Amino acid sequence: MNDLDLRTFSMRFTLRQLAYFVAAGEVGGVTLASERINVSQPSISAAISQLEAEFGLQLFVRHHAQGLSLTPAGQRLLHAAKALLQQAEDLHGIADEVAKSVSGPLQVGSFRTLAPMLIPELCKGFLAQYPAVKLQVSEDDEAALIAKLRRAEINLALTYAIHLTDDIAFEPLAELPTYILLPADDPLANEKSIELSVLAEKPFILLDMPLSKEYFLNLFVTHGITPNITARSVSPETVRSFVACGFGYSLMTARPMNMAAVNGKQLAYVPLAGDHPPMVLGIATLKGLRKTRATERFEEHCRELMTTVNLPGMAPMR
């Protein structure tokens, strides 16, 4: 059907009218049809009259006190109407199947420092269960992920609960305490924990990402300490390499299982002493946005795999 046909085509009968006609045609009368489908006789009679007027055909011969009998035209239309009603029922079935299936696109956002550890394992397990899902992942900082949620560019984000606004729903899954990142050969690397004040004069390598930066710097503020920032980077791997080479220490929450920087030099994770609020990792979604079944299943998958004591790709904290 071309564009002109679409503009001029107008359906002047309904599936309901066809259903009433079929009911009357199959039992040979309005009264029996009314009882069979629990619809008033006037409604069935009106539907038949409207169809006859629409098609310009007499569909029934009316027999006084003996009901109705189909005309030859009525018999042909009965077969066609039954086929059309079956197609309409099949269409509902297809729509129901699609609605209940777990398939289609799924856009997942992940906080950049967590993505290398969490995402591959999460995606592998999820796609093994739901291979029909077309999953795509975008990595960014917390602020950018929230902006993408608002623009509906992603269905959900795995991120920290930092500066969340009222339009964002957040489900916490795991707590990540802050730790001190040191070169493996640093004299403090074997300590059970370290007070931030002990490091006050030492060179500090800042993970310079929006919101995360504010979180780490606020730890110094609460202790009345001014950090000695000697280098900064938006890349966690660059920060790790600086530290591994002995340029200073850093503060982080994500703990890669691999204890070496990309330059091959070894690192140490030492807990930060004191009562500091942990970073809370979870699922962020836009309130009011209807979730697809793929989104709901991915959230369930995350709940099963992501806990404080067990995060994919995350080293345990001693």
Side-chain angles (χ1 to χ4, degrees):
M1 188 175 290
N2 57 35
D3 291 342
L4 180 60
D5 292 329
L6 288 172
R7 287 194 301 267
T8 58
F9 181 76
S10 176
M11 178 144 336
R12 294 178 292 273
F13 62 90
T14 67
L15 294 177
R16 187 185 301 274
Q17 290 171 340
L18 290 180
Y20 292 176
F21 159 64
V22 168
E26 287 181 335
V27 299
V30 171
T31 302
L32 289 176
S34 174
E35 295 173 354
R36 179 180 180 183
I37 63 176
N38 196 29
V39 175
S40 69
Q41 295 184 40
S43 295
I44 296 175
S45 297
I48 294 171
S49 298
Q50 289 164 353
L51 288 175
E52 288 181 326
E54 169 61 25
F55 297 125
L57 298 171
Q58 182 177 346
L59 303 178
F60 290 101
V61 175
R62 277 76 171 173
H63 303 288
H64 182 67
Q66 293 184 354
L68 306 172
S69 61
L70 287 164
T71 64
Q75 291 176 350
R76 291 187 61 184
L77 194 66
L78 178 68
H79 291 302
K82 290 175 69 173
L84 182 58
L85 290 171
Q86 183 58 55
Q87 288 176 338
E89 184 64 27
D90 292 344
L91 190 62
H92 275 290
I94 292 171
D96 187 58
E97 179 182 344
V98 170
K100 292 182 178 179
S101 68
V102 182
S103 61
L106 176 62
Q107 308 288 341
V108 174
S110 176
F111 183 51
R112 186 179 292 131
T113 63
L114 300 171
M117 292 167 279
L118 292 176
I119 292 300
E121 189 170 338
L122 285 173
C123 291
K124 183 178 181 180
F126 180 76
L127 292 175
Q129 296 181 65
Y130 307 108
V133 174
K134 304 299 181 184
L135 193 152
Q136 291 188 333
V137 178
S138 62
E139 304 171 31
D140 228 314
D141 59 64
E142 295 103 330
L145 290 173
I146 297 303
K148 287 182 178 181
L149 284 174
R150 292 194 179 107
R151 296 193 298 268
E153 294 177 6
I154 55 177
N155 299 95
L156 61 90
L158 297 176
T159 187
Y160 292 120
I162 300 180
H163 299 300
L164 297 176
T165 51
D166 290 341
D167 60 333
I168 301 298
F170 184 81
E171 179 181 354
L173 297 178
E175 294 183 349
L176 279 73
T178 301
Y179 68 91
I180 299 166
L181 184 67
L182 292 168
D185 58 1
D186 190 287
L188 297 173
N190 293 319
E191 295 291 327
K192 291 184 178 180
S193 64
I194 302 173
E195 294 282 351
L196 195 58
S197 58
V198 174
L199 303 168
E201 303 301 322
K202 293 183 178 295
F204 177 59
I205 316 300
L206 175 64
L207 179 60
D208 196 9
M209 296 177 65
L211 302 185
S212 292
K213 172 180 64 178
E214 285 77 8
Y215 171 80
F216 292 125
L217 292 179
N218 189 59
L219 293 176
F220 290 96
V221 173
T222 57
H223 285 77
I225 299 171
T226 300
N228 179 21
I229 300 174
T230 57
R232 62 180 72 208
S233 175
V234 297
S235 166
E237 290 304 329
T238 301
V239 171
R240 284 166 62 88
S241 291
F242 267 120
V243 172
C245 283
F247 279 86
Y249 73 99
S250 188
L251 297 177
M252 286 193 172
T253 53
R255 307 182 303 274
M257 193 73 72
N258 185 358
M259 301 290 288
V262 293
N263 56 18
K265 298 183 181 299
Q266 294 297 309
L267 294 160
Y269 307 157
V270 182
L272 177 63
D275 185 17
H276 306 288
M279 292 277 266
V280 179
L281 172 63
I283 303 170
T285 54
L286 183 65
K287 289 181 180 179
L289 182 65
R290 184 175 181 179
K291 295 179 181 179
T292 65
R293 293 186 68 83
T295 300
E296 293 173 341
R297 291 294 181 271
F298 191 82
E299 289 179 347
E300 292 174 3
H301 185 64
C302 290
R303 293 185 194 106
E304 293 173 358
L305 293 185
M306 296 172 59
T307 65
T308 299
V309 297
N310 182 32
L311 277 173
M314 199 78 67
M317 178 61 75
R318 66 170 187 263

